[in-house]
Amino acid sequence: GENVEQHPSTLSVQEGDSAVIKCTYSDSASNYFPWYKQELGKGPQLIIDIRSNVGEKKDQRIAVTLNKTAKHFSLHITETQPEDSAVYFCAALGGWDSNYQLIWGAGTKLIIKP
Amino acid sequence: EAQVTQNPRYLITVTGKKLTVTCSQNMNHEYMSWYRQDPGLGLRQIYYSMNVEVTDKGDVPEGYKVSRKEKRNFPLILESPSPNQTSLYFCASTSMGGLAKNIQYFGAGTRLSVL
């Protein structure tokens, strides 16, 4: 079945700098890749997603890139702000052998230093 | 307002005392699931349901039960809780079609401590 690895587990960046979180997946049949943000004391919330028919998607300061050949996708946050501090999860929608379930990465704790 | 509601938010209990965590969604979603979140392990799926009366095991189902008698509700039942079930639990619901297909909406979480 699908396996998703996420790196790094913790990322500390200076406010205003960029942050990049990377995920790799194993199932070439996967075609949907969302990113979720979990703020302290809350449930995860979708911030951006990408489907396999595109290579990049942007939404203001957030972008996701997908390389289907290499089976990896990345979250890019530019001009980071204190409110970007959170745990970020990537996921991939598995194929039939994963019962078409979302398979999650282990999460990245992003710390924005003032 | 579209939401997934979990209750209780916090629960401290003792080993072996049956408990139920409720989950309700108001978005008419077909798909609902339960996760547990532990440090360093991310989100691990316990059970999921693709529609009323249809449930299936996730990655870590041992020690848990679920039921889906109505579309909006998906309770998580711990018949005999043990300390290794101390965790943060999340319920989520998803639309199976339309523009919001595959987007999971999460509840605020239930922090459970089993002594």
Side-chain angles (χ1 to χ4, degrees), chain A residues 54-90:
Chain A
V54 297
E56 184 176 6
K57 184 176 179 181
K58 284 184 180 180
D59 183 2
Q60 299 182 336
R61 297 186 296 109
I62 294 173
V64 57
T65 58
L66 172 64
N67 184 327
K68 286 218 74 179
T69 304
K71 289 192 239 174
H72 66 70
F73 56 111
S74 300
L75 177 71
H76 304 254
I77 305 175
T78 58
E79 300 172 16
T80 52
Q81 299 170 5
E83 55 264 36
D84 295 329
S85 292
V87 176
Y88 292 82
F89 292 98
C90 66

Short mmCIF file of all heavy atoms in Angstrom, two decimals, chain A residues 54-90:
data_model
loop_
_atom_site.label_atom_id
_atom_site.label_comp_id
_atom_site.label_asym_id
_atom_site.label_seq_id
_atom_site.Cartn_x
_atom_site.Cartn_y
_atom_site.Cartn_z
N VAL A 54 -1.47 18.48 -12.57
CA VAL A 54 -0.73 19.75 -12.58
C VAL A 54 0.56 19.57 -11.79
O VAL A 54 0.69 18.68 -10.95
CB VAL A 54 -1.55 20.91 -11.98
CG1 VAL A 54 -2.78 21.17 -12.80
CG2 VAL A 54 -1.91 20.62 -10.55
N GLY A 55 1.54 20.45 -12.06
CA GLY A 55 2.82 20.34 -11.39
C GLY A 55 3.00 21.35 -10.26
O GLY A 55 3.87 21.17 -9.42
N GLU A 56 2.18 22.41 -10.26
CA GLU A 56 2.34 23.43 -9.24
C GLU A 56 1.01 24.16 -9.04
O GLU A 56 0.22 24.32 -9.97
CB GLU A 56 3.41 24.44 -9.65
CG GLU A 56 3.71 25.50 -8.59
CD GLU A 56 4.84 26.44 -8.99
OE1 GLU A 56 5.33 26.35 -10.13
OE2 GLU A 56 5.23 27.26 -8.14
N LYS A 57 0.80 24.57 -7.80
CA LYS A 57 -0.40 25.35 -7.48
C LYS A 57 -0.04 26.37 -6.42
O LYS A 57 0.70 26.05 -5.49
CB LYS A 57 -1.50 24.40 -6.97
CG LYS A 57 -2.83 25.06 -6.68
CD LYS A 57 -3.85 23.99 -6.28
CE LYS A 57 -5.19 24.59 -5.96
NZ LYS A 57 -6.16 23.52 -5.54
N LYS A 58 -0.54 27.59 -6.60
CA LYS A 58 -0.21 28.67 -5.65
C LYS A 58 -1.48 29.27 -5.08
O LYS A 58 -2.52 29.36 -5.75
CB LYS A 58 0.57 29.76 -6.37
CG LYS A 58 2.01 29.45 -6.66
CD LYS A 58 2.71 30.66 -7.28
CE LYS A 58 4.16 30.36 -7.59
NZ LYS A 58 4.85 31.51 -8.19
N ASP A 59 -1.35 29.72 -3.84
CA ASP A 59 -2.43 30.46 -3.19
C ASP A 59 -1.77 31.48 -2.27
O ASP A 59 -1.37 31.17 -1.16
CB ASP A 59 -3.34 29.53 -2.40
CG ASP A 59 -4.51 30.26 -1.78
OD1 ASP A 59 -4.65 31.47 -1.99
OD2 ASP A 59 -5.31 29.61 -1.08
N GLN A 60 -1.61 32.67 -2.76
CA GLN A 60 -0.96 33.77 -2.04
C GLN A 60 0.45 33.35 -1.64
O GLN A 60 1.29 33.15 -2.51
CB GLN A 60 -1.82 34.18 -0.84
CG GLN A 60 -3.20 34.68 -1.28
CD GLN A 60 -4.08 35.15 -0.12
OE1 GLN A 60 -3.90 34.74 1.03
NE2 GLN A 60 -5.01 36.03 -0.43
N ARG A 61 0.76 33.23 -0.35
CA ARG A 61 2.14 32.92 0.07
C ARG A 61 2.44 31.43 0.09
O ARG A 61 3.54 31.01 0.43
CB ARG A 61 2.39 33.50 1.48
CG ARG A 61 2.29 35.01 1.56
CD ARG A 61 2.70 35.51 2.96
NE ARG A 61 1.79 35.02 3.98
CZ ARG A 61 2.08 34.10 4.88
NH1 ARG A 61 3.28 33.51 4.88
NH2 ARG A 61 1.21 33.74 5.81
N ILE A 62 1.47 30.62 -0.23
CA ILE A 62 1.63 29.17 -0.15
C ILE A 62 1.63 28.57 -1.55
O ILE A 62 0.83 28.97 -2.41
CB ILE A 62 0.49 28.55 0.68
CG1 ILE A 62 0.59 29.02 2.13
CG2 ILE A 62 0.50 27.04 0.61
CD1 ILE A 62 -0.60 28.60 2.97
N ALA A 63 2.51 27.62 -1.78
CA ALA A 63 2.54 26.92 -3.05
C ALA A 63 2.86 25.46 -2.81
O ALA A 63 3.52 25.11 -1.81
CB ALA A 63 3.58 27.52 -3.99
N VAL A 64 2.37 24.61 -3.67
CA VAL A 64 2.72 23.18 -3.62
C VAL A 64 3.23 22.78 -5.00
O VAL A 64 2.68 23.21 -6.02
CB VAL A 64 1.51 22.32 -3.18
CG1 VAL A 64 0.32 22.53 -4.09
CG2 VAL A 64 1.89 20.86 -3.11
N THR A 65 4.30 22.00 -5.00
CA THR A 65 4.84 21.47 -6.24
C THR A 65 4.78 19.96 -6.21
O THR A 65 4.89 19.34 -5.14
CB THR A 65 6.30 21.92 -6.46
OG1 THR A 65 7.08 21.49 -5.34
CG2 THR A 65 6.39 23.43 -6.57
N LEU A 66 4.59 19.36 -7.35
CA LEU A 66 4.46 17.91 -7.46
C LEU A 66 5.36 17.40 -8.57
O LEU A 66 5.33 17.90 -9.69
CB LEU A 66 3.01 17.53 -7.76
CG LEU A 66 2.73 16.05 -8.11
CD1 LEU A 66 3.04 15.15 -6.92
CD2 LEU A 66 1.29 15.88 -8.57
N ASN A 67 6.16 16.40 -8.25
CA ASN A 67 7.01 15.73 -9.24
C ASN A 67 6.57 14.27 -9.26
O ASN A 67 6.97 13.47 -8.41
CB ASN A 67 8.49 15.86 -8.86
CG ASN A 67 9.40 15.24 -9.90
OD1 ASN A 67 9.07 14.25 -10.55
ND2 ASN A 67 10.57 15.82 -10.08
N LYS A 68 5.73 13.91 -10.22
CA LYS A 68 5.19 12.55 -10.26
C LYS A 68 6.24 11.52 -10.61
O LYS A 68 6.18 10.37 -10.18
CB LYS A 68 4.03 12.49 -11.26
CG LYS A 68 2.76 13.13 -10.78
CD LYS A 68 1.53 12.37 -11.22
CE LYS A 68 1.35 11.09 -10.44
NZ LYS A 68 0.16 10.33 -10.84
N THR A 69 7.21 11.92 -11.41
CA THR A 69 8.26 10.97 -11.79
C THR A 69 9.06 10.55 -10.57
O THR A 69 9.34 9.36 -10.36
CB THR A 69 9.18 11.59 -12.85
OG1 THR A 69 8.39 12.01 -13.96
CG2 THR A 69 10.24 10.59 -13.29
N ALA A 70 9.43 11.53 -9.77
CA ALA A 70 10.24 11.25 -8.57
C ALA A 70 9.36 10.87 -7.38
O ALA A 70 9.88 10.49 -6.34
CB ALA A 70 11.09 12.46 -8.23
N LYS A 71 8.06 11.02 -7.51
CA LYS A 71 7.09 10.72 -6.43
C LYS A 71 7.38 11.56 -5.20
O LYS A 71 7.53 11.02 -4.09
CB LYS A 71 7.09 9.22 -6.12
CG LYS A 71 6.44 8.39 -7.23
CD LYS A 71 6.20 6.97 -6.75
CE LYS A 71 6.94 6.00 -7.65
NZ LYS A 71 6.87 4.63 -7.19
N HIS A 72 7.51 12.86 -5.40
CA HIS A 72 7.57 13.72 -4.24
C HIS A 72 6.84 15.02 -4.49
O HIS A 72 6.65 15.45 -5.64
CB HIS A 72 9.01 13.93 -3.75
CG HIS A 72 9.90 14.68 -4.68
ND1 HIS A 72 9.78 16.03 -4.94
CD2 HIS A 72 10.99 14.27 -5.38
CE1 HIS A 72 10.73 16.40 -5.77
NE2 HIS A 72 11.47 15.36 -6.05
N PHE A 73 6.39 15.62 -3.41
CA PHE A 73 5.69 16.90 -3.47
C PHE A 73 6.11 17.74 -2.27
O PHE A 73 6.52 17.20 -1.23
CB PHE A 73 4.17 16.71 -3.53
CG PHE A 73 3.54 15.91 -2.42
CD1 PHE A 73 2.73 16.52 -1.49
CD2 PHE A 73 3.74 14.53 -2.33
CE1 PHE A 73 2.14 15.79 -0.47
CE2 PHE A 73 3.15 13.79 -1.32
CZ PHE A 73 2.35 14.42 -0.39
N SER A 74 6.05 19.04 -2.44
CA SER A 74 6.60 19.95 -1.43
C SER A 74 5.64 21.12 -1.18
O SER A 74 4.94 21.55 -2.09
CB SER A 74 7.94 20.51 -1.88
OG SER A 74 8.88 19.47 -2.09
N LEU A 75 5.68 21.60 0.04
CA LEU A 75 4.93 22.79 0.44
C LEU A 75 5.94 23.93 0.60
O LEU A 75 6.95 23.77 1.29
CB LEU A 75 4.20 22.56 1.76
CG LEU A 75 3.43 23.75 2.31
CD1 LEU A 75 2.19 24.05 1.47
CD2 LEU A 75 3.03 23.49 3.77
N HIS A 76 5.65 25.06 -0.03
CA HIS A 76 6.51 26.23 0.06
C HIS A 76 5.71 27.36 0.69
O HIS A 76 4.62 27.70 0.19
CB HIS A 76 6.98 26.65 -1.34
CG HIS A 76 7.67 25.57 -2.10
ND1 HIS A 76 9.04 25.54 -2.31
CD2 HIS A 76 7.18 24.45 -2.70
CE1 HIS A 76 9.34 24.46 -3.02
NE2 HIS A 76 8.25 23.78 -3.26
N ILE A 77 6.25 27.95 1.74
CA ILE A 77 5.63 29.12 2.35
C ILE A 77 6.63 30.26 2.26
O ILE A 77 7.76 30.14 2.76
CB ILE A 77 5.27 28.86 3.83
CG1 ILE A 77 4.39 27.61 3.97
CG2 ILE A 77 4.54 30.09 4.42
CD1 ILE A 77 4.10 27.23 5.42
N THR A 78 6.25 31.33 1.60
CA THR A 78 7.15 32.49 1.47
C THR A 78 6.75 33.57 2.47
O THR A 78 5.63 33.59 3.00
CB THR A 78 7.07 33.07 0.05
OG1 THR A 78 5.71 33.44 -0.22
CG2 THR A 78 7.52 32.04 -0.99
N GLU A 79 7.72 34.43 2.75
CA GLU A 79 7.50 35.58 3.67
C GLU A 79 6.77 35.12 4.94
O GLU A 79 5.71 35.66 5.29
CB GLU A 79 6.69 36.66 2.96
CG GLU A 79 7.37 37.21 1.71
CD GLU A 79 6.46 38.13 0.91
OE1 GLU A 79 5.42 38.59 1.45
OE2 GLU A 79 6.76 38.36 -0.27
N THR A 80 7.37 34.17 5.62
CA THR A 80 6.70 33.57 6.77
C THR A 80 6.36 34.60 7.84
O THR A 80 7.09 35.59 8.06
CB THR A 80 7.57 32.47 7.39
OG1 THR A 80 8.87 32.99 7.65
CG2 THR A 80 7.66 31.27 6.46
N GLN A 81 5.24 34.32 8.52
CA GLN A 81 4.73 35.20 9.56
C GLN A 81 4.48 34.38 10.82
O GLN A 81 4.37 33.15 10.75
CB GLN A 81 3.43 35.86 9.07
CG GLN A 81 3.62 36.70 7.82
CD GLN A 81 2.31 37.15 7.19
OE1 GLN A 81 1.22 36.92 7.73
NE2 GLN A 81 2.41 37.79 6.04
N PRO A 82 4.40 35.03 11.98
CA PRO A 82 4.19 34.27 13.24
C PRO A 82 2.99 33.34 13.18
O PRO A 82 3.04 32.23 13.73
CB PRO A 82 3.98 35.39 14.26
CG PRO A 82 4.75 36.54 13.72
CD PRO A 82 4.60 36.47 12.22
N GLU A 83 1.94 33.72 12.48
CA GLU A 83 0.75 32.87 12.42
C GLU A 83 0.94 31.63 11.56
O GLU A 83 0.06 30.76 11.51
CB GLU A 83 -0.46 33.67 11.92
CG GLU A 83 -0.24 34.36 10.60
CD GLU A 83 0.17 35.82 10.77
OE1 GLU A 83 0.92 36.14 11.73
OE2 GLU A 83 -0.24 36.64 9.91
N ASP A 84 2.09 31.52 10.90
CA ASP A 84 2.39 30.29 10.16
C ASP A 84 2.91 29.19 11.09
O ASP A 84 3.02 28.03 10.67
CB ASP A 84 3.43 30.56 9.07
CG ASP A 84 2.92 31.49 7.99
OD1 ASP A 84 1.70 31.49 7.71
OD2 ASP A 84 3.74 32.25 7.42
N SER A 85 3.25 29.54 12.32
CA SER A 85 3.71 28.53 13.28
C SER A 85 2.59 27.53 13.54
O SER A 85 1.48 27.91 13.93
CB SER A 85 4.11 29.19 14.60
OG SER A 85 5.28 29.97 14.43
N ALA A 86 2.88 26.25 13.27
CA ALA A 86 1.86 25.20 13.38
C ALA A 86 2.52 23.88 13.02
O ALA A 86 3.70 23.83 12.69
CB ALA A 86 0.68 25.47 12.43
N VAL A 87 1.71 22.81 13.08
CA VAL A 87 2.16 21.52 12.56
C VAL A 87 1.50 21.33 11.19
O VAL A 87 0.31 21.56 11.03
CB VAL A 87 1.76 20.37 13.50
CG1 VAL A 87 2.16 19.02 12.89
CG2 VAL A 87 2.43 20.54 14.86
N TYR A 88 2.31 20.94 10.22
CA TYR A 88 1.83 20.74 8.86
C TYR A 88 1.90 19.26 8.50
O TYR A 88 2.90 18.59 8.76
CB TYR A 88 2.66 21.56 7.87
CG TYR A 88 2.45 23.04 8.04
CD1 TYR A 88 3.13 23.76 9.03
CD2 TYR A 88 1.58 23.74 7.21
CE1 TYR A 88 2.92 25.11 9.20
CE2 TYR A 88 1.37 25.10 7.36
CZ TYR A 88 2.05 25.77 8.37
OH TYR A 88 1.83 27.12 8.54
N PHE A 89 0.82 18.77 7.90
CA PHE A 89 0.77 17.38 7.47
C PHE A 89 0.58 17.31 5.95
O PHE A 89 -0.27 18.03 5.39
CB PHE A 89 -0.41 16.65 8.10
CG PHE A 89 -0.30 16.43 9.58
CD1 PHE A 89 -0.92 17.28 10.47
CD2 PHE A 89 0.45 15.36 10.07
CE1 PHE A 89 -0.82 17.07 11.85
CE2 PHE A 89 0.56 15.14 11.45
CZ PHE A 89 -0.07 15.99 12.33
N CYS A 90 1.34 16.44 5.32
CA CYS A 90 1.06 16.11 3.92
C CYS A 90 0.31 14.79 3.89
O CYS A 90 0.31 14.03 4.86
CB CYS A 90 2.34 16.01 3.11
SG CYS A 90 3.42 14.63 3.58
#
